[in-house]
Amino acid sequence: MSLPSTQTQWVVTSKEKGFDGLVKEQGAVPQPGDNDVLVRLYGASLNYRDLIIPQGKYPFPLDLPVVAASDGAGEVVAVGSKVTKWKKGDKVTTLFNQWHQFGDIDTRAASSGLGGVFDGTLRQYGVFHEDGVVRTPSNLDHVEAATLVCAGLTSWNALYGLKTLKPGQWVLTQGTGGVSLFALQFAKAGGAKVIATTSSKEKAEMLKKLGADHVINYREDPNWGETARKLTPNNQGVDHIIEVGGAGTLGQSLAAIKYEGIISIIGFLGGAQPKESILETLSRICTVRGVYVGSRQLMEEMCAAIEANDIHPVVDKTIFTLDQAKEAYEYMWAQKHFGKVGIKIE
C-alpha cells in the first residue's frame, strides 16, 4: 500500500492559551530513519498531564510546539533498514519516555516524553525508535492498549518498580483516576487485598465490581487513613499506597502506611499542603516515592501480566474520534469520565 504524504494531527502550540493552544493541522507523514518504525496509530488516550501541558502547569521538560499526547497504539507499516525487532503488521504500543529503557530513570530519559518533548500520538502516523514501542498485549484492542502507556505503567511501577508487591499484601488506592483503577486491577491479579477510597456510592459499586475488598467514602470519613489501617491484620497498616496528591491525602496515607511500606506519589491533584511534614516518614518508618511512569523493561513485564491474566483496562463509555480530540480534553477536564478517555483514530 502507498502511504499518504500528509495527515491530521493535534499540536500543542502554547503553554499560555489553555485548550485554545491545542490546534488541529495537516502535517507531513514522517519517514522512518534506519533504526525507526513508522506506526499507523489507531488508538490514543488522554491523561491529566495532557490537560495541564497547554495550561502551563506541567513540571517536566517540554519542547513546544509538539504533537499532543503520549498514549498510542497501532500497527507497524514501515521499518528502517537496520530494524531487527519489528516487521510490517506488528501491533505495537508507545513507550512514554522514549529513552527510559531499563533501570532507574535519568535526566536524558526524563526529557524524552511523547507529547511533551517528542511528537506524540494525536495523529494518524508516528515514527518511533524500534526500542520506543512494545508489543501490544494480544487480548487488547488499540484504544485499550493505548491506556497502558502512562497510567498503566505508572501504576505498575508503583507496585513493582521499587519493592515488588507480594500476594497477601495490602494496597490502598485513592479515587477512580486511571492510575488508581489500574493499581486495583494489578493488585488483585497479584493476589493482594485492596482498600479503595472514593466520594460517591455509584463509584463505590464500580470499585467493588473491579474487585476492591473494601471501599471507604472519604467524604463521609475524613479519617479514612486510620480506618484503612484498622482493616489490616493487627492494625499493622497497608504495604503500598497509590497517592494522588490531593488536599490532605498525604496525611491520611501516612496514617495508613505499614512500617517499611511504600507511598507512591503518582500525581498532584492540587491542594496538598507542605505542612504534612516529610519528617513523618521517620516516625512511620516508610518510604515516600515519586513515580515518573516507567521503563520499557517494566512495560514489557506489565504487558505480559495483562495478557496472562486477561486484564482489560477500564475505558470510559464515550469514545472520541481524532477530529473530536479537543472535546475529549474538555470532557475529561469537566470530570465526566470514569476510567480512561479513549480516542479512536480513523
Side-chain angles (χ1 to χ4, degrees):
M1 68 173 206
S2 65
L3 298 170
S5 56
T6 61
Q7 63 171 337
T8 301
Q9 56 187 30
W10 287 89
V11 177
V12 181
T13 58
S14 163
K15 291 192 284 191
E16 275 82 56
K17 298 182 186 162
F19 296 161
D20 290 339
L22 185 69
V23 178
K24 185 167 88 160
E25 57 178 49
Q26 288 298 304
V29 170
Q31 296 301 310
D34 287 349
N35 302 102
D36 301 331
V37 291
L38 177 65
V39 178
R40 170 62 166 97
L41 295 159
Y42 289 110
S45 80
L46 295 182
N47 295 286
Y48 184 64
R49 161 198 191 246
D50 301 309
L51 308 184
I52 59 176
I53 285 174
Q55 301 183 45
K57 295 179 187 165
Y58 189 61
F60 296 110
L62 294 173
D63 184 8
L64 304 184
V66 71
V67 176
S70 59
D71 295 8
E75 205 167 288
V76 174
V77 290
V79 296
S81 60
K82 293 183 178 162
V83 170
T84 54
K85 211 169 176 179
W86 308 107
K87 60 184 189 309
K88 271 188 183 175
D90 284 343
K91 292 187 168 72
V92 294
T93 300
T94 53
L95 174 66
F96 184 100
N97 280 315
Q98 292 282 288
W99 301 142
H100 191 188
Q101 294 292 310
F102 45 84
D104 294 343
I105 197 162
D106 59 17
T107 48
R108 178 175 182 253
S111 301
S112 66
L114 292 178
V117 175
F118 294 163
D119 282 337
T121 56
L122 288 189
R123 51 180 169 162
Q124 291 160 305
Y125 293 88
V127 159
F128 308 97
H129 190 276
E130 69 172 325
D131 288 327
V133 291
V134 304
R135 191 176 66 80
T136 296
S138 58
N139 58 321
L140 302 186
D141 65 35
H142 294 295
V143 171
E144 288 176 319
T147 70
L148 304 177
V149 175
C150 181
L153 187 51
T154 299
S155 163
W156 185 265
N157 188 351
L159 297 175
Y160 290 98
L162 185 64
K163 209 176 186 181
T164 297
L165 175 71
K166 297 189 178 105
Q169 288 188 327
W170 287 72
V171 174
L172 172 68
T173 64
Q174 298 174 0
T176 53
V179 180
S180 299
L181 292 178
F182 272 117
L184 165 56
Q185 291 177 289
F186 291 153
K188 289 312 294 177
K193 290 283 225 179
V194 178
I195 303 168
T197 70
T198 187
S199 60
S200 80
K201 290 203 164 55
E202 298 77 52
K203 286 178 176 174
E205 284 313 306
M206 290 171 174
L207 288 165
K208 282 180 186 151
K209 273 200 187 105
L210 285 169
D213 297 282
H214 303 276
V215 181
I216 304 171
N217 186 319
Y218 63 79
R219 289 238 164 91
E220 293 168 5
D221 183 356
N223 296 314
W224 50 267
E226 198 48 52
T227 305
R229 169 182 288 280
K230 285 179 182 152
L231 291 167
T232 64
N234 301 327
N235 300 336
Q236 286 195 47
V238 300
D239 301 274
H240 280 273
I241 297 177
I242 305 297
E243 169 59 61
V244 297
T249 54
L250 186 56
Q252 294 304 311
S253 291
L254 286 162
I257 198 73
K258 188 180 187 174
Y259 281 168
E260 305 291 4
I262 298 179
I263 298 171
S264 291
I265 301 185
I266 58 91
F268 46 98
L269 291 184
Q273 294 300 319
K275 71 170 190 291
E276 290 162 358
S277 169
I278 206 71
L279 288 178
E280 211 181 313
T281 55
L282 175 60
S283 56
R284 299 286 181 180
I285 318 176
C286 68
T287 301
V288 178
R289 169 182 185 232
V291 174
Y292 187 34
V293 200
S295 66
R296 177 172 61 86
Q297 181 185 11
L298 274 176
M299 188 167 182
E300 287 167 352
E301 289 167 8
M302 169 186 75
C303 287
I306 284 167
E307 215 171 70
N309 294 281
D310 194 20
I311 294 169
H312 285 268
V314 183
V315 179
D316 188 81
K317 58 188 186 304
T318 306
I319 303 268
F320 295 85
T321 64
L322 185 59
D323 284 338
Q324 297 170 321
K326 194 175 282 190
E327 291 160 53
Y329 274 67
E330 283 157 358
Y331 178 84
M332 185 170 167
W333 188 247
Q335 296 183 350
K336 293 178 179 170
H337 61 295
F338 182 87
K340 297 297 296 174
V341 174
I343 294 173
K344 216 171 181 169
I345 303 172
E346 297 301 346

